[in-house]
Amino acid sequence: MSETPTAAFSIRIRVRLENRPGQLGKLAVAIGDAGGNIAGLEGFEAKAAHLDEDVVVNCTSEAHQQEVLEAIRALEPEGIELMSWEDRTFAMHQGGKIEVLALSPVGDRDDLSMAYTPGVARICNAIAADKNKAHELTIKKNMVAIVSDGTAVLGLGNLGPEASLPVMEGKALLFKEFGGVDGFPICLDVTSAEEIIETVLRIAPVFGGINLEDIAAPQCFEVEERLKELLDIPVFHDDQHGTAVVVLAALENALKIVDKKMADLNVVVAGVGAAGVAISKILLEAGVPNVIGVDRQGAIWEGRADLNPAKQWFAENTNHDRKTGSLAQVMPGADVFVGVSGPGLVTADDLRTMGVDPIVFALANPDPEIRPEEAAGIAAVIATGRSDFPNQINNVLCFPGIFRGALDAGATTITEGMKLAAAEAIALSVPEDRLAADFIVPSVFDKNVAKLVARATAEAAVRDGVIRVRR
Amino acid sequence: MSETPTAAFSIRIRVRLENRPGQLGKLAVAIGDAGGNIAGLEGFEAKAAHLDEDVVVNCTSEAHQQEVLEAIRALEPEGIELMSWEDRTFAMHQGGKIEVLALSPVGDRDDLSMAYTPGVARICNAIAADKNKAHELTIKKNMVAIVSDGTAVLGLGNLGPEASLPVMEGKALLFKEFGGVDGFPICLDVTSAEEIIETVLRIAPVFGGINLEDIAAPQCFEVEERLKELLDIPVFHDDQHGTAVVVLAALENALKIVDKKMADLNVVVAGVGAAGVAISKILLEAGVPNVIGVDRQGAIWEGRADLNPAKQWFAENTNHDRKTGSLAQVMPGADVFVGVSGPGLVTADDLRTMGVDPIVFALANPDPEIRPEEAAGIAAVIATGRSDFPNQINNVLCFPGIFRGALDAGATTITEGMKLAAAEAIALSVPEDRLAADFIVPSVFDKNVAKLVARATAEAAVRDGVIRVRR
């Protein structure tokens, strides 16, 4: 599916056309013949003998970018000159994607004497007398650390902390855009879960929340658990719970389409890493009686050897019938398939063995466990992690709102109740009259979602009694 | 001197005046009688029977704020009603002083697919293949960690990391305002120099520079030295070197006033903490032959017992005549006094024992070693750390520009040559024709200074051969 030209591989070219009719047409034809999609014409500039034009072209790969550029260069004898080009994704990342700006202007001596010395000493003293005041009088009120050790960057594996930074910056950008939350990337050069925990504890004074990200399983479980225990601010491993919350929301709406109940479901979860474990847990909490997890070795059952603690928990709390065997062997009769594993893991034939009106969430990114085209006509509801198909399961529907709500409420942790409330809010943000098999989750650009999630999360925090005491 | 009303203790009051002549006058008289200074009238709003007015009043202390408020409340029978008030310094700090904002907008799916998945994976892969690319393609290009453990917050002592955060936020704000540098506060909950070093090494992937701040001596020396050794990005303890650079700049200009040369100077430095040690070092490098340091126990000399490593260095490299005794005993004949200690440490009589045209830098904040009024007529040049006297020695003249220059040049460290160049640039930013005893350092609001410092620093980095190799 990576053959569709996309903005991720887009280029901006600047071309000079001789000023006579048909030149732009020739250019467009050449780009089209080379497989490029013209996504925009920008910065048109007419001069006497020629026109300068900026053209945005979506491509499919870096090699394809070069093919498109070659096709344009070949037009030089015809009066079309390639003057310059840039890779738009790389251009966008030049110098990073976020900046730190002043909330208070420092225009004169009076401003300086309040924001800095001597006035700031009054604030320091106030906080020294009562540490809790940091939650009001500093960035701690709205600042979330986006913490990664770079061991599980996107689907790419252990790329190291530097290479994880662009993802964490992207996350910071989404935190601000959708939740009004300030996020700051903390990419750690460490070698163990213990070092992550220790470092986060040390930097915690600055932050009102900790969002863990792209940390490999099973270390991520220990890191989150221990930090939750040791800190009095919300700690949230987005790869686990962000995904789980959105999956639950999507499933709630999917069940309305197929007219089933949580209490009657058999669910198969392929992939028992961070996301798979969290999804399974939240489904059990939401009342699903039967989940079967499948990893590379097949179904997880109590008694299987080689289980790490997370999978051991899994074995004890799921698959009550102790089914064994491959994914294909546990699919028959399942109502729901959730894939958080890898591309092409299930076939249309596998889906045909499922119960009536199967629900298929094929969330591996960028290439899902089964292509939606293949599942069409078999599955009643299909969701993926991709933006170019209906029903995109994307964490951005959850994390900005859930932290917004937690910070607004002054929550000291994120409870199961808060996560369930967030899922409910996401599900309900699809209006009942628009709910359909191809519209079970709201658009990631629906800014209302984060507001609804924030409100629901904050209310749940109050209900669960996890609000920081204010003096 | 804290009896001068200041913005640091200012309040904003909202009053309702009966709409008849003379009411505002009555209010102003009452505020003046209570010792408050009206610094501004804002937000005037006329209604039928009354006027609402916002008044900013500078006070001298929190107790004084209450006296002013009481004086206003007493006017109620005369048709002047205090409706509300706020402490402006606390109001300015609500929710902190900085925020994290997107540099790239995320307006649509195309933006999202470049800034986040799937496009961001290309950037991650590029950096995984060559870590150095993080200096171009991430916030590392322009991001400096402002690191403190809160053990020496301003002049207030060990207040802890939370209480140091407002200072570090202020610093971030100044970094951006004057140097266009993104600064982020890292306030550490740690108990040793070793833990500071370890933690900074772990978070270093995100940052292009490390600014150490408000870390107590002597730990600060070890922290800086070790981090300089272990990291390939600039590390700069501002309390040491920022102060030293600005003192050197001020001294260069002061010498033009009194017509003396570095090579002929006897300098007494009172206070042998972070700033005192760094000032002494840079003066020696600049060619001053003789420095005598004085701490609470008196002059530092080689052979004195009870010296920590920093002071031992001091003893070996200064005070060649091994003078002993109190500050007053080593002052006679000195050309320059630099105080980085505490209030009221020297007297006018001490200054009278100095050489001709003594130069007095009394930098203790907020209350200097000797009040400028007392030194006037004795010292030829007087400088303090305060904004309400001429010649304010303020680090903000150095740190934004020196980091700007280091980042622009891709410097891997900050050399002695870069510091000397920065000092020279600050000194030269006072135009020759305006140089005077009361104008030896530029205004902290002169935005040109940081630009000149940046250029000089970057050039010195190139000269010193500390530029990161680009592939």
Side-chain angles (χ1 to χ4, degrees), chain A residues 343-366:
Chain A
L345 208 73
V346 287
T347 64
D349 281 341
D350 292 331
L351 301 193
R352 287 196 187 94
T353 68
M354 293 176 70
V356 287
D357 291 336
I359 295 169
V360 174
F361 293 173
L363 307 181
N365 244 337

Side-chain angles (χ1 to χ4, degrees), chain A residues 153-166:
Chain A
V153 182
L154 304 172
L156 306 169
N158 186 356
L159 299 190
E162 287 84 359
S164 77
L165 183 47

Side-chain angles (χ1 to χ4, degrees), chain A residues 7-10 61-62 65 87-90 154 156, chain B residues 118-128 137:
Chain A
F9 284 102
S10 63
S61 67
E62 291 185 13
Q65 289 177 347
D87 185 310
R88 288 173 75 225
T89 298
F90 276 77
L154 304 172
L156 306 169
Chain B
V120 73
R122 301 180 57 208
I123 311 298
C124 300
N125 281 323
I127 297 171
L137 295 171

Side-chain angles (χ1 to χ4, degrees), chain A residues 92-138:
Chain A
M92 175 186 250
H93 283 82
Q94 280 297 330
K97 288 177 293 192
I98 52 174
E99 65 175 329
V100 179
L101 274 180
L103 278 168
S104 333
V106 188
D108 58 24
R109 275 181 203 285
D110 279 1
D111 289 345
L112 195 58
S113 76
M114 291 191 287
Y116 205 57
T117 56
V120 72
R122 301 180 56 210
I123 310 298
C124 298
N125 281 323
I127 297 171
D130 176 6
K131 257 203 253 183
N132 255 323
K133 289 234 164 79
H135 287 281
E136 295 163 36
L137 295 170
T138 75

